């Protein structure tokens, strides 16, 4: 992206890099705990009942927390902390540029579990006039208040550009 494009942007929604770093650190600590549980079993320092529960806890912990660790780590090392930005003509979501006149509405999509029982992050759903939908994932980096505030900002900006 050139610097002239960046200078003409009117608004943007960012996440705090420190939030991503802290959350990835917590996930890493949890993953280390899971590995330690497996190590206790391998070294034979467990009772017979613990040999059943420790590996189950370790594997489930890695299954549920592992994807979050990589998601937060990825967001921690990314160059930009911008989730979405906009100018007079377009809304920029990652590599997608969507003209304001093609957007019908913007909503906050409620997170749900995936088919592998992994929690999906809250996202903004941008409904286009052609019936398609674009998702902007927040990756659990905005709190409830931040999600609602930024949604209100996006909806208000959409209404302003509809009037043009």
């Amino acid at each position: 992206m050139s610097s002239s494009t960046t200078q003409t942007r009117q608004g943007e929604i960012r996440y705090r890099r420190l939030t991503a770093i802290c959350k990835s650190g917590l996930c890493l600590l949890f993953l280390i705990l899971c590995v330690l549980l497996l190590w206790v079993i391998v070294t034979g320092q467990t009772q017979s009942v613990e040999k059943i529960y420790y590996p189950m806890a370790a594997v489930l912990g890695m299954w549920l927390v592992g994807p979050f660790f990589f998601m937060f780590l990825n967001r921690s090392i990314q160059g930009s902390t911008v989730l979405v930005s906009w100018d007079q003509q377009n809304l920029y979501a990652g590599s997608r540029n969507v003209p304001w006149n093609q957007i019908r509405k913007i909503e906050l999509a409620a997170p749900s579990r995936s088919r592998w029982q992994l929690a999906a992050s809250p996202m903004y759903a941008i409904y286009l006039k052609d019936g398609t939908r674009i998702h902007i994932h927040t990756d659990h980096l905005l709190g409830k208040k931040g999600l609602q505030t930024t949604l209100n900002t996006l909806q208000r900006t959409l209404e302003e550009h509809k009037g043009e």
Side-chain angles (χ1 to χ4, degrees), residues 8-122:
T8 61
R9 301 275 166 98
Q10 289 182 334
E12 59 188 15
I13 296 172
R14 294 178 167 269
Y15 62 90
R16 292 179 44 211
R17 188 179 310 277
L18 182 61
T19 302
I21 291 169
C22 290
K23 287 186 175 190
S24 65
L26 287 172
C27 289
L28 179 62
L29 287 174
F30 192 82
L31 290 172
I32 289 171
L33 177 67
C34 291
V35 170
L36 286 175
L37 282 174
L38 292 175
W39 181 253
V40 167
I41 295 165
V42 169
T43 59
Q45 301 174 9
T46 59
Q47 304 297 325
S48 61
V49 176
E50 293 168 338
K51 288 183 181 182
I52 297 170
Y53 296 116
Y54 282 13
M56 288 174 34
V59 170
L60 282 173
M62 287 182 204
W63 178 270
L64 296 174
V65 177
F68 287 116
F69 169 71
F70 290 107
M71 179 179 65
F72 293 135
L73 181 65
N74 182 41
R75 288 291 190 166
S76 299
I77 59 177
Q78 277 185 344
S80 174
T81 59
V82 176
L83 291 173
V84 62
S85 62
W86 60 88
D87 61 17
Q88 281 295 106
Q89 291 80 29
N90 296 311
L91 177 76
Y92 303 97
S95 61
R96 292 176 237 141
N97 302 337
V98 184
W100 287 109
N101 61 6
Q102 290 183 6
I103 300 173
R104 187 169 41 95
K105 68 179 177 176
I106 301 173
E107 291 180 344
L108 185 61
S112 62
R113 297 232 174 241
S114 71
R115 66 180 176 182
W116 297 104
Q117 294 303 310
L118 299 174
S121 69

